[in-house]
Every structure is written in C-alpha cells, then in structure tokens.
Amino acid sequence: MSQPIIRSFFDEPTNTVSYLVADPATKKAAIIDPVFDYDHNSGEVDTRSVEAMLAAAEEAGNTVDRVLETHAHADHLSGAPFIKAKTGAKIGIGEHIKDVQRIFRPIFNATDLKTDGSDFDHLFRDGERFKIGELDVEVLYTPGHTPADISYKIEDAVFVGDTLFMPDYGTARADFPGGDAHKLYRSIKRLLSLPQETRLFMCHDYKAPGRDTFAWETTVGEQRESNVHVKEGVSEDEFVAMRRARDTKLPAPRLLLPSIQVNIRAGKFPPAEANGVRYLTIPVKLKDGAQACL
Ligand SMILES: [Fe+2]
C-alpha cells in the first residue's frame, strides 16, 4: 500500500488546518479545506494562504486536480475557487450540501443560489471511491455537525473535517441548522470503528487547557482511549446530553454569516450589485426592545 504525502497548513486566525495530500508515485495531489484570508473589519479578501499551498505543491512537483471540502464551513471562507482558477482542479463536497443550500437560501434571501449543488464540480455520496494518482480514496458520510459532512479516507489517513477534534478537546458543536448530536455520535463511532492505527487529521485545533502547541494529527486508538467527549464507554445519550448543554453556551462563530453564504456557493461571493460591488449579507434579528425602533 502506498502512503500519501501529507502537508498541513495551519491558519491561526480561524484555527483551520488545510492539507495538501499527494501521491508519491504520480505526484497527483488534492487540497483539502483551503482557506481564504478574510478580514471581517475591512471586507478584504486575500489569497496568501492558498498561494502558499500552491507554491508548496509546485515545489514538490505536484499536480493539484481536486479540491476536497469536508463540509460547508461556518468559521472560514473556502479558498477553493482560487485553487480551481489556478490549477483547473475540480471542487468536490458531500451530496447533502443540497440540504444545506436549501436551509440557508431563504435565510440570506440568496435568490441567485441554486440548491442542486451544481456550483460544485462533484457531489460525493457515501461509500464513493476514487483515486488521487494511485492512492485509494473512500468517502465516508459523517453527518451531525452539519447535515452534509463527509470524511475522506485516503489509504490509512482519514480527514475527518469537524467530526472530531483532538482527544483533549473533544468534538465539534452540533447545533447549526440541520446539525444533530445523535448523528454526530454515530458518525464518530463509525470513524472509530476503523483500525486502531488509522491516522486521523483534524480540520481545526484550538489548543486544549494545559497544551501549549497546536496539534491536528491523532489516531483512532488515541481517540477511543482518551477523547474527552466520546472515548470508549460514553453512551449516545450521555454524549447528546453533554453536547446539547455545551452548545447552548457557545457563541456564534465570528465568521459564521460571511462563511456560510460564500461556502454554499462553492466559495464564490454573491453576485455583484448594480454598482459592481459584491456584498455579504447580515440578516438582522431585532430582539425585544429593538423592535420598538421600527
Ligand atoms: Fe465546521
């Protein structure tokens, strides 16, 4: 079995890890969960993170022909369109992205948005298999954090998206629209039924109390033994009760609204308005007393 060459790129402003995964034999490669540098205060979008990934690919002689998204992220803007523009790589995501598009289209009044997933080049179904060069890839449908999450198993390495965090940090929230803590538990159990030595690569890290450095690689065995939310012996009901209690206390991610409306369009910004400018939409929710201002 050939092993993928895996290079990780950590974006500290959004705590996101993107990966360049290459086949050593053919030098074909895929980029997983790339990030656009977005300054919410100014609206400026920069490409230095994705450019760094492409420079690393070029230096290694890799041909990037796929961008693989694990889900529609709610904490960063996807850099997928830039990679596609520069390399011709095809952008893939789980087929249930259609559900996420249907949920958010009315929220953003995104009348331009098609809800058939056609902004993406490929929609993956559970169990689908494909190749990166000579590397075997299997798609695992792992919903719960959102309705559309998938994990990519590339030989002995699984890119789990937001299904799991490092063992000392636990798991991702399951309270976004369409999220489901029961489903998240079952998705995690599916991943943790893989062989103990299977390598797991996280999409995020926030450091855990007592840990000074960021980390994003672990194994099935380590997660089963010590994940603070879902180690061996934690029942589905216990997990769901913990997750629900915790999720009610979590604030909305800083880039939630910009991220979702861009990422459900496969990383494209909303169409330009009559003045040629593209705008991101913030749906305003007037609470109690604020209603009196109307
Ligand atoms: Fe996420």
Side-chain angles (χ1 to χ4, degrees):
M1 184 171 86
S2 59
Q3 292 292 344
I5 296 171
I6 299 169
R7 293 193 61 178
S8 48
F9 298 77
F10 186 65
D11 179 55
E12 196 159 346
T14 65
N15 295 83
T16 303
V17 196
S18 307
Y19 296 96
L20 171 65
V21 183
D23 170 30
T26 62
K27 307 232 170 182
K28 297 266 190 202
I31 285 178
I32 301 177
D33 291 332
V35 173
F36 261 154
D37 308 285
Y38 170 66
D39 179 5
H40 196 40
N41 295 334
S42 66
E44 283 174 2
V45 181
D46 205 339
T47 56
R48 57 189 182 277
S49 293
V50 273
E51 284 186 66
M53 296 192 81
L54 289 179
E58 192 177 337
E59 197 182 319
N62 294 145
T63 310
V64 178
D65 51 16
R66 286 184 189 269
V67 181
L68 303 175
E69 297 281 10
T70 53
H71 63 295
H73 304 274
D75 43 46
H76 67 268
L77 275 59
S78 168
F82 182 81
I83 292 168
K84 180 176 175 174
K86 292 289 178 185
T87 65
K90 304 278 188 241
I91 304 172
I93 198 165
E95 63 179 342
H96 293 276
I97 188 65
K98 292 182 261 188
D99 300 333
V100 180
Q101 291 175 321
R102 275 192 285 268
I103 289 169
F104 283 102
R105 188 180 197 271
I107 291 173
F108 291 109
N109 193 28
T111 51
D112 63 297
L113 176 69
K114 299 183 285 292
T115 55
D116 59 0
S118 60
D119 279 338
F120 296 85
D121 299 303
H122 188 80
L123 301 182
F124 290 110
R125 61 180 194 284
D126 186 32
E128 187 169 340
R129 290 170 186 271
F130 64 96
K131 295 264 193 187
I132 300 170
E134 293 174 4
L135 300 172
D136 286 320
V137 188
E138 182 182 359
V139 175
L140 305 171
Y141 179 41
T142 47
H145 169 60
T146 79
D149 298 62
I150 54 174
S151 301
Y152 297 96
K153 182 176 181 302
I154 306 176
E155 302 291 352
D156 78 324
V158 186
F159 298 84
V160 303
D162 290 7
T163 308
L164 280 161
F165 292 144
M166 290 300 280
D168 56 3
Y169 199 86
T171 56
R173 65 197 302 167
D175 62 336
F176 293 142
D180 184 324
H182 286 283
K183 288 183 181 167
L184 180 58
Y185 180 88
R186 290 169 205 164
S187 293
I188 290 168
K189 287 291 158 179
R190 183 182 185 192
L191 291 175
L192 299 189
S193 69
L194 291 165
Q196 296 269 355
E197 62 278 11
T198 307
R199 295 182 290 165
L200 301 178
F201 291 86
M202 312 297 108
C203 183
H204 293 291
D205 188 60
Y206 305 91
K207 294 179 185 167
R211 173 154 59 83
D212 293 335
T213 52
F214 291 108
W216 43 79
E217 180 182 347
T218 177
T219 64
V220 165
E222 287 170 356
Q223 291 282 16
R224 287 175 63 162
E225 190 184 314
S226 62
N227 186 290
V228 291
H229 291 167
V230 73
K231 65 185 169 209
E232 204 86 340
V234 176
S235 71
E236 181 169 332
D237 286 346
E238 286 169 332
F239 173 79
V240 169
M242 176 283 300
R243 201 57 272 171
R244 286 186 179 155
R246 191 175 161 93
D247 287 351
T248 55
K249 296 192 196 118
L250 293 175
R254 188 173 58 90
L255 296 182
L256 171 72
L257 296 169
S259 301
I260 291 288
Q261 61 195 290
V262 168
N263 294 340
I264 57 176
R265 292 177 167 98
K268 294 193 207 98
F269 290 86
E273 297 201 4
N275 60 358
V277 179
R278 292 169 194 267
Y279 292 88
L280 294 168
T281 301
I282 305 294
V284 176
K285 301 172 196 105
L286 295 172
K287 301 271 183 174
D288 305 330
Q291 295 275 4
C293 306
L294 296 177

